[in-house]
């Protein structure tokens, strides 16, 4: 195998050719990818209105309609920069899966190890992006917590719906609650939600609810259809609520939280008790701020634009090679009223 991964330029080319792992929330709803040449990004937050064209006197002429459609917000996406270390031992020891009777040069092992680590770093950033998308949808904010960091990027959204009687309680009405959430999105967001995401415990309560079962039992008028299908990436299609033209999904994707408490904890991307209604064509923004990077020849620091910015350099005490993959992602719900979230349990 030729050594193609020794310098930053060839490393950047390799990263650009890599395919990011597929995810449900990011790849379904945050499809408007935007990169910036600055660390700060500016996004237009769209809030529609229902202005009616005014009547005008033919002599007086037209009337200017004030633009109330959007406001521009400025954000500084947080830096995500996982690293892996390559040592001389890595280049001399046999790699996992490598034929013990095959002669492999240190150069070839270096290329293989670099490619392997790039994939691991890409996976970790992708999981971080999926978590940020989850937080943006279900909490209305992105939590930035790490070593020396403890802050929030709060979008200040007010699209939380209230379900007064939880679905596990007698007298609750899940279908009426979904109708109310649907109406909220129609009224404020001027769009029709087409996807309903339920936490696993919410989906179980919904499917087994007395009123939902009654709807399913109505013959010759199919208000709903429960037809579970397992899809890739931890996604499961539950069925369709034809009454509202809603497809219902659960998402069991998980991540390891090793920054909140003393011990790592496995958590869900869709928190328990949550239900969300979103448009099929959400096209929310996923913005990327520029990343600082040093030029080895000129020793100058400059800003690099892109989704992923790789870096590779050598430390001498101790001697080791550092492989870094940096990104400044920020999911932004720029169509603020086009979805609704509630606690169903």
């Amino acid at each position: 195998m030729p050594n193609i991964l020794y310098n930053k330029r060839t490393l950047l080319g390799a990263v650009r050719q890599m395919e990011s792992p597929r995810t449900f929330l990011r790849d379904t709803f945050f499809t408007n990818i935007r990169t910036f040449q600055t660390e700060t990004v500016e996004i237009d937050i769209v809030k529609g209105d229902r202005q009616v064209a005014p009547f005008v006197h033919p002599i007086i002429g037209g009337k200017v309609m004030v633009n109330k459609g959007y406001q521009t917000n400025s954000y500084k996406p947080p830096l995500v920069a996982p690293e892996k270390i390559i040592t001389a031992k890595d280049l001399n020891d046999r790699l996992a899966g490598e034929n013990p009777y095959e002669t492999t040069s240190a150069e070839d092992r270096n290329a293989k190890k670099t490619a392997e680590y790039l994939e691991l770093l890409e996976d970790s950033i992708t999981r971080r992006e999926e978590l940020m998308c989850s937080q943006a949808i279900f909490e209305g904010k992105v939590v930035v917590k790490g070593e020396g960091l403890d802050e929030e990027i709060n979008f200040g959204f007010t699209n939380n719906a209230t379900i007064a009687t939880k679905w596990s309680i007698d007298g609750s009405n899940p279908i009426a609650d979904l109708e109310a959430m649907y109406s909220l999105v129609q009224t404020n967001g001027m769009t029709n939600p087409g996807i309903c995401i339920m936490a696993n415990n919410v989906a179980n309560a919904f499917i087994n609810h007395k009123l939902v079962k009654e709807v399913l039992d109505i013959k010759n008028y199919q208000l709903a259809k429960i037809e579970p299908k397992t899809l890739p990436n931890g996604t499961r299609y539950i069925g369709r609520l034809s009454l509202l033209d809603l497809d219902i999904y659960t998402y069991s994707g998980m991540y390891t939280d090793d920054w909140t408490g003393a011990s790592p904890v496995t958590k869900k991307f869709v928190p328990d008790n949550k239900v969300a209604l979103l448009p099929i064509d959400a096209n929310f923004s996923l913005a990327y701020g520029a990343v600082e990077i040093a030029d080895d020849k000129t020793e100058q620091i400059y800003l690099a634009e892109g989704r992923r910015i790789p870096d590779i350099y050598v430390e001498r005490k101790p001697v080791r090679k550092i492989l870094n993959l940096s990104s400044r992602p920020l999911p932004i719900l720029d169509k603020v009223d086009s979805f609704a979230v509630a606690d169903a349990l």
Side-chain angles (χ1 to χ4, degrees):
M1 177 183 291
N3 179 13
I4 60 171
L5 297 172
Y6 276 153
N7 60 63
K8 295 180 183 181
R9 180 168 294 181
T10 53
L11 196 62
L12 180 59
V15 168
R16 286 175 174 170
Q17 293 177 25
M18 290 175 59
E19 289 190 10
S20 180
R22 293 285 299 173
T23 59
F24 177 54
L25 299 177
R26 185 195 66 175
D27 295 336
T28 302
F29 303 109
F30 295 84
T31 52
N32 183 20
I33 308 299
R34 301 180 61 186
T35 61
F36 291 78
Q37 296 178 341
T38 57
E39 290 181 293
T40 302
V41 304
E42 291 188 347
I43 299 292
D44 293 333
I45 304 299
V46 179
K47 190 177 182 69
D49 59 54
R50 286 185 167 83
Q51 288 179 284
V52 177
F55 292 115
V56 297
H57 193 283
I59 297 178
I60 298 176
K63 180 179 180 181
V64 176
M65 297 182 70
V66 178
N67 184 3
K68 303 177 182 178
Y70 68 92
Q71 67 182 44
T72 301
N73 287 2
S74 180
Y75 303 95
K76 186 174 182 179
L79 176 65
V80 179
E83 295 182 338
K84 296 292 285 186
I85 296 172
I86 300 176
T87 65
K89 186 176 186 299
D90 294 322
L91 305 182
N92 292 320
D93 290 352
R94 183 176 64 86
L95 300 176
E98 184 178 304
N99 187 339
Y101 303 104
E102 180 180 303
T103 302
T104 304
S105 67
E107 184 178 83
D108 285 345
R109 283 203 182 101
N110 181 40
K112 290 179 180 179
K113 182 62 71 173
T114 303
E116 174 191 333
Y117 280 172
L118 276 177
E119 188 172 329
L120 290 174
L121 297 177
E122 171 63 36
D123 287 350
S124 69
I125 293 179
T126 296
R127 280 190 292 274
R128 173 61 69 181
E129 289 176 340
E130 185 76 343
L131 174 57
M132 295 171 77
C133 292
S134 167
Q135 291 174 336
I137 291 174
F138 293 103
E139 301 177 31
K141 62 185 179 183
V142 172
V143 178
V144 182
K145 193 166 187 176
E147 188 174 346
L149 293 171
D150 191 359
E151 58 186 76
E152 293 180 351
I153 300 174
N154 197 317
F155 300 111
F157 297 150
T158 57
N159 47 357
N160 285 331
T162 300
I163 295 178
T165 307
K166 305 306 180 186
W167 295 354
S168 58
I169 299 174
D170 290 341
S172 61
N173 191 332
I175 294 178
D177 291 330
L178 291 178
E179 286 179 324
M181 293 177 66
Y182 192 97
S183 178
L184 178 67
V185 174
Q186 276 190 320
T187 301
N188 297 334
M190 293 181 291
T191 188
N192 294 330
I195 295 179
C196 175
I197 302 175
M198 295 181 180
N200 286 323
N201 62 336
V202 172
N204 290 333
F206 179 79
I207 293 171
N208 295 309
H209 196 280
K210 178 182 177 182
L211 293 181
V212 175
K213 287 183 176 180
E214 289 177 358
V215 169
L216 296 176
D217 287 339
I218 296 176
K219 296 180 180 179
N220 302 322
Y221 185 56
Q222 197 171 66
L223 297 177
K225 184 179 181 181
I226 301 300
E227 190 179 27
K229 295 179 183 177
T230 300
L231 303 175
N233 309 311
T235 309
R236 193 163 186 252
Y237 178 72
I238 298 300
R240 184 172 183 80
L241 188 60
S242 302
L243 178 67
L244 298 176
D245 203 22
L246 275 177
D247 286 315
I248 303 171
Y249 295 85
T250 61
Y251 178 39
S252 58
M254 296 184 179
Y255 65 97
T256 300
D257 179 352
D258 57 3
W259 59 87
T260 300
S263 301
V265 178
T266 300
K267 296 183 178 179
K268 303 172 183 176
F269 285 121
V270 177
D272 284 342
N273 307 330
K274 293 290 186 180
V275 57
L277 267 57
L278 301 106
I280 294 175
D281 55 349
N283 198 29
F284 296 138
S285 293
L286 184 52
Y288 292 88
V291 173
E292 286 187 336
I293 191 168
D295 188 302
D296 293 331
K297 292 183 179 180
T298 64
E299 296 186 346
Q300 297 294 313
I301 296 176
Y302 64 94
L303 291 175
E305 178 183 0
R307 292 179 61 250
R308 305 284 190 265
I309 305 299
D311 195 7
I312 191 165
Y313 57 94
V314 173
E315 289 185 347
R316 303 198 179 277
K317 294 184 179 181
V319 176
R320 56 186 185 169
K321 184 179 291 185
I322 309 296
L323 179 63
N324 175 283
L325 191 61
S326 295
S327 181
R328 282 190 178 273
L330 184 63
I332 301 175
L333 300 159
D334 40 6
K335 302 168 189 69
V336 295
D337 294 322
S338 64
F339 70 104
V341 178
D343 287 312
L345 295 176

